[in-house]
Amino acid sequence: MDINLKILRYDPESDRKGHWENYIVDAEPEERILDLLHKIKWFEDGSLSFRRSCAHGVCGSDAMVINGENMLACQVLVKEVGNPIKIEPIRGLPVVKDLIVDMEPFFDSYKKVMPYLINEKEPGDRERLQSPEDRDKFEDTTKCILCAACTTSCPVFWTADTYVGPAAIVNAHRFVFDSRDEGTKQRLEILKDVNGAFRCRTAFNCTSACPRGIQVTKAIEDIKRETLLNLSLIHI
Ligand code: SF4
Ligand code: F3S
Ligand code: FES
């Protein structure tokens, strides 16, 4: 069947702002949006630019706005989004070309929260052990693929790009609740900043947008609570 794709295009060399272009693509209901973009790029218009790598929901590189919602193009089927299909770059980050945005500000925020294990002690002869119960405390946030769908769906981030954003907080959560990590205080000091976790207004867009099903808003609330407890901002 014919699918009408409306794609928001932008070429920095010729455009002052983005403009919509229409493409009619022959597609099956079970084909993915990424397949349709490939058909356009390979057979119709080689100048169409978008990121993708794994094509299986693992690398996080093809987040885009599809019919108004942040999704991974490789995970969404034609039959799930109807016809026509509107595709735009994710919001709140500078557009480089077409569906490609500059991810540097996103990764700068990610780096701020020190997303790696901090423990200066020698692990000894064996690896650092952890009980299954302790492992469960951060199981959900290990699933992040850094696609930016959460951060770029957040209304707070749209209006204040200084907000560290839900993805960075999710990745702080992954280590703050890891019993082997010793960097909790440093991370929470960073996240108690005016641009940290308390900037979240529990809009929940991030949770709806996450293609990995991570309970993003819950993770942010966990971090807020831990910050208050850990930094003695409240006394219980
Ligand atoms: Fe993507 Fe989910 Fe990670 Fe956000 S939390 S970057 S939406 S995988
Ligand atoms: Fe934004 Fe998610 Fe909070 S959408 S306001 S980070 S709950
Ligand atoms: Fe890797 Fe879609 S191409 S997640």
Side-chain angles (χ1 to χ4, degrees):
M1 62 179 167
D2 280 348
I3 300 292
N4 182 3
L5 265 89
K6 297 175 185 293
I7 303 179
L8 188 60
R9 308 268 326 247
Y10 170 71
D11 182 344
E13 293 186 359
S14 55
D15 299 330
R16 292 183 61 194
K17 57 179 191 162
H19 63 279
W20 292 95
E21 285 191 26
N22 282 319
Y23 300 89
I24 304 295
V25 182
D26 182 32
E28 297 300 321
E30 282 74 28
E31 283 189 281
R32 303 166 305 175
I33 303 305
L34 182 62
D35 299 323
L36 275 56
L37 292 174
H38 278 148
K39 285 185 189 181
I40 295 171
K41 185 163 182 71
W42 293 340
F43 305 114
E44 193 173 341
D45 184 347
S47 70
L48 178 65
S49 302
F50 54 92
R51 284 197 184 97
R52 81 274 184 258
S53 181
C54 71
H56 291 286
V58 179
C59 73
S61 63
D62 62 341
M64 49 190 77
V65 182
I66 301 172
N67 283 355
E69 290 180 38
N70 281 12
M71 302 179 186
L72 298 179
C74 65
Q75 280 198 321
V76 186
L77 305 182
V78 168
K79 66 181 180 188
E80 294 171 332
V81 288
N83 189 7
I85 303 170
K86 283 175 80 174
I87 304 181
E88 305 160 62
I90 47 178
R91 299 179 178 129
L93 294 168
V95 178
V96 177
K97 186 170 188 290
D98 298 337
L99 302 173
I100 297 178
V101 298
D102 179 2
M103 295 288 281
E104 280 303 315
F106 173 79
F107 283 111
D108 286 346
S109 292
Y110 168 66
K111 285 182 226 160
K112 262 188 211 153
V113 302
M114 299 182 293
Y116 41 81
L117 190 88
I118 298 174
N119 189 329
E120 299 299 325
K121 295 192 196 93
E122 282 297 317
D125 297 337
R126 303 176 66 186
E127 61 192 309
R128 294 187 173 91
L129 296 178
Q130 184 169 57
S131 70
E133 292 74 26
D134 280 343
R135 178 65 176 73
D136 277 350
K137 290 178 187 165
F138 61 93
E139 167 63 22
D140 197 35
T141 47
T142 62
K143 295 185 293 191
C144 178
I145 54 172
L146 294 171
C147 67
C150 55
T151 297
T152 60
S153 71
C154 172
V156 176
F157 180 73
W158 295 337
T159 54
D161 62 5
T162 48
Y163 172 40
V164 69
I169 302 171
V170 159
N171 284 279
H173 182 286
R174 184 258 168 267
F175 291 99
V176 164
F177 292 94
D178 187 330
S179 58
R180 301 162 300 181
D181 185 85
E182 295 182 340
T184 291
K185 205 166 174 63
Q186 289 162 268
R187 289 194 195 87
L188 297 183
E189 280 290 347
I190 294 161
L191 289 170
K192 83 174 190 350
D193 180 83
V194 65
N195 290 311
F198 292 94
R199 191 123 199 189
C200 165
R201 293 291 176 267
T202 52
F204 275 90
N205 289 18
C206 52
T207 301
S208 312
C210 180
R212 303 286 290 175
I214 297 170
Q215 297 300 303
V216 180
T217 311
K218 177 185 177 300
I220 298 169
E221 292 304 305
D222 288 348
I223 287 288
K224 287 180 187 170
R225 195 175 315 110
E226 197 65 13
T227 304
L228 294 171
L229 290 171
N230 222 283
L231 303 178
S232 305
L233 296 177
I234 59 171
H235 304 281
I236 57 172

